[in-house]
Amino acid sequence: MRLAEGLGLVRGARPLLGTFLRPRAAVGAAAAAAAAPAPARARSQALVYAQHGEPARVLQLKDLERAELGHSGVHVKMLAAPINPADINMIQGTYALLPDLPAVGGNEGVGQVVEVGSHVTSVKPGDWVIPADAELGTWRTDAVFSEESLVKLPRDIPLLCAATLSVNPCTAYRMLADFETLVPGDSIIQNAANSGVGQAVIQIAAALGIKTINVIRDRPNLQEVVDRLTSLGADHVITEEMLRKPEMKDLFKKVPKPRLALNCVGGKSTTEMLRHIQQKGTMVTYGGMAKQPVTVPVSAFIFKDVKLRGFWMTQWKKDQPQNKDRLTGMILTLCDLIRKGQLTGPACTQVPLKDYRIAVEASMKSFISSKQVLTM
């Protein structure tokens, strides 16, 4: 579905200036029909931005005409949609993927199918669905989407787990699966371990028997964060400062040096993690919170033959255009971990859509420990 259709901005084609001659009665009937008011289109509410800028300034809650269902449309009532850093960056105009404007914010969330077109076969009314890709525009009460843009989700998992499933847990799963062949007893190291991806990495790795070394920034409530990550299954939680100390040698007497490093920060944190990676290990960068370049010592390439890779979940999905089964299979695997209690959603604060300004402001604060989720 094109964005303009989702916003209700597409109008039917204008009639031709000339018309064929018709019998007078037919012309009269046609004129009467034309004069009758068209039935009102159903409307929904959505958070829309018509220009890039700071979210508090450019986001507006608007009433939109809902697109017609047609033969292949799926009418979805959104239930919950989180606010992720990428959503903020899109609105600011600094993200790698920018939708045409005006656009509805939000790339993740869960909704319930209300009605389907006659040609739709993969979902039915009552099903839960999540976006198959980015740019769907999930910060809205409801909309008509194309069948191809949705993935069916089991309904036996918690709502907030469903709403936050398609970005962070999927990113964590792919990075653990696609870059190194890890086996039980291996270890990985990651910075930004308190992030949504970091928490998912801890839990998925624990389920696979993989040890995690988790690096976080020092903060006033440090022990609270350490306790939370440990409760999720973290084996070791250290600060950025500890990462640079000689005492790290003692840690590696308890756990093998990591074969995989996951970087969401950049700058000095990246350089320090590389010092501890195994020979021929891999570092995957999926974020740059410090807004500093990844600096790699020449010795890491020459003497350790490390590999540097990048990962972007959106690109991974785009690389699977004819292989939706692979995406669905990953989603079902993650849902199975959720059912077993091996994967939980992040700490969340639910905020009604009408109070979006509160949620957006909270999501942009430093050291935020709760994900803001808009509820409809």
Side-chain angles (χ1 to χ4, degrees):
M1 179 190 69
R2 292 178 301 175
L3 176 67
E5 293 171 337
L7 293 175
L9 300 177
V10 175
R11 301 286 186 262
R14 292 181 181 274
L16 297 176
L17 293 178
T19 58
F20 293 105
L21 292 175
R22 288 171 294 175
R24 182 175 296 177
V27 172
R41 293 276 291 275
R43 304 184 74 80
S44 62
Q45 285 193 312
L47 284 178
V48 180
Y49 56 104
Q51 60 181 330
H52 294 301
E54 289 307 307
R57 182 175 61 85
V58 300
L59 275 176
Q60 292 183 306
L61 186 60
K62 290 191 171 185
D63 286 335
L64 303 179
E65 286 187 352
R66 192 171 68 231
E68 293 181 358
L69 187 67
H71 293 298
S72 57
V74 180
H75 178 201
V76 176
K77 179 188 182 304
M78 293 304 300
L79 302 175
I83 299 176
N84 291 316
D87 302 326
I88 300 297
N89 294 154
M90 272 189 173
I91 296 168
Q92 293 169 331
T94 60
Y95 200 59
L97 181 69
L98 298 176
D100 295 333
L101 300 181
V104 175
N107 294 284
E108 186 180 30
V110 62
Q112 186 169 20
V113 176
V114 177
E115 187 181 6
V116 301
S118 58
H119 294 172
V120 174
T121 58
S122 63
V123 294
K124 64 183 184 302
D127 286 345
W128 278 8
V129 289
I130 59 176
D133 206 347
E135 294 187 277
L136 197 64
T138 55
W139 297 350
R140 56 173 112 203
T141 54
D142 65 301
V144 172
F145 301 116
S146 68
E147 181 180 12
E148 294 74 23
S149 67
L150 302 170
V151 175
K152 182 180 175 180
L153 199 66
R155 289 190 55 178
D156 60 349
I157 63 172
L159 177 67
L160 292 179
C161 285
T164 57
L165 184 64
S166 65
V167 176
N168 293 336
C170 289
T171 298
Y173 182 89
R174 292 261 61 95
M175 292 194 299
L176 289 170
D178 292 352
F179 296 96
E180 288 283 345
T181 304
L182 300 170
V183 298
D186 282 345
S187 75
I188 67 107
I189 187 169
Q190 64 166 342
N191 54 26
N194 192 44
S195 66
V197 172
Q199 293 180 48
V201 165
I202 290 169
Q203 296 176 84
I204 297 170
L208 298 173
I210 298 163
K211 306 294 184 182
T212 57
I213 303 165
N214 303 279
V215 185
I216 59 176
R217 291 179 293 173
D218 199 359
R219 62 192 71 205
N221 63 334
L222 177 63
Q223 191 57 50
E224 178 185 332
V225 175
V226 171
D227 291 344
R228 170 163 173 73
L229 297 185
T230 301
S231 72
L232 295 177
D235 295 284
H236 303 278
V237 182
I238 61 177
T239 64
E240 296 278 359
E241 290 73 21
M242 293 167 62
L243 186 63
R244 303 182 183 103
K245 292 183 177 180
E247 286 79 7
M248 285 295 293
K249 292 180 180 178
D250 295 330
L251 187 151
F252 292 119
K253 294 176 182 178
K254 306 172 187 176
V255 63
K257 285 206 167 188
R259 297 176 56 186
L260 179 67
L262 305 179
N263 168 47
C264 185
V265 178
K268 291 180 180 179
S269 176
T270 305
T271 307
E272 294 299 328
M273 283 204 306
L274 275 171
R275 289 178 53 226
H276 303 296
I277 202 170
Q278 263 190 41
Q279 189 88 7
K280 296 184 182 295
T282 301
M283 186 176 74
V284 181
T285 293
Y286 67 98
M289 291 169 56
K291 299 182 179 178
Q292 295 174 358
V294 172
T295 305
V296 184
V298 172
S299 59
F301 285 122
I302 298 175
F303 303 119
K304 297 182 76 172
D305 192 20
V306 298
K307 299 179 289 291
L308 302 184
R309 300 290 302 275
F311 183 78
W312 185 27
M313 192 66 223
T314 299
Q315 188 61 52
W316 185 89
K317 290 177 178 178
K318 290 183 181 299
D319 291 342
Q320 321 289 320
Q322 307 302 323
N323 195 5
K324 196 174 181 180
D325 288 345
R326 195 176 182 205
L327 171 60
T328 302
M330 174 175 61
I331 294 294
L332 293 178
T333 297
L334 293 171
C335 287
D336 192 46
L337 291 177
I338 292 170
R339 291 190 199 95
K340 293 177 180 177
Q342 295 175 311
L343 179 63
T344 61
C348 294
T349 300
Q350 300 183 61
V351 181
L353 182 66
K354 65 181 178 62
D355 297 326
Y356 71 93
R357 294 183 187 278
I358 297 172
V360 169
E361 181 181 344
S363 72
M364 298 176 70
K365 290 181 179 178
S366 300
F367 299 117
I368 187 71
S369 58
S370 181
K371 183 174 287 294
Q372 304 298 301
V373 178
L374 298 170
T375 55
M376 291 61 167

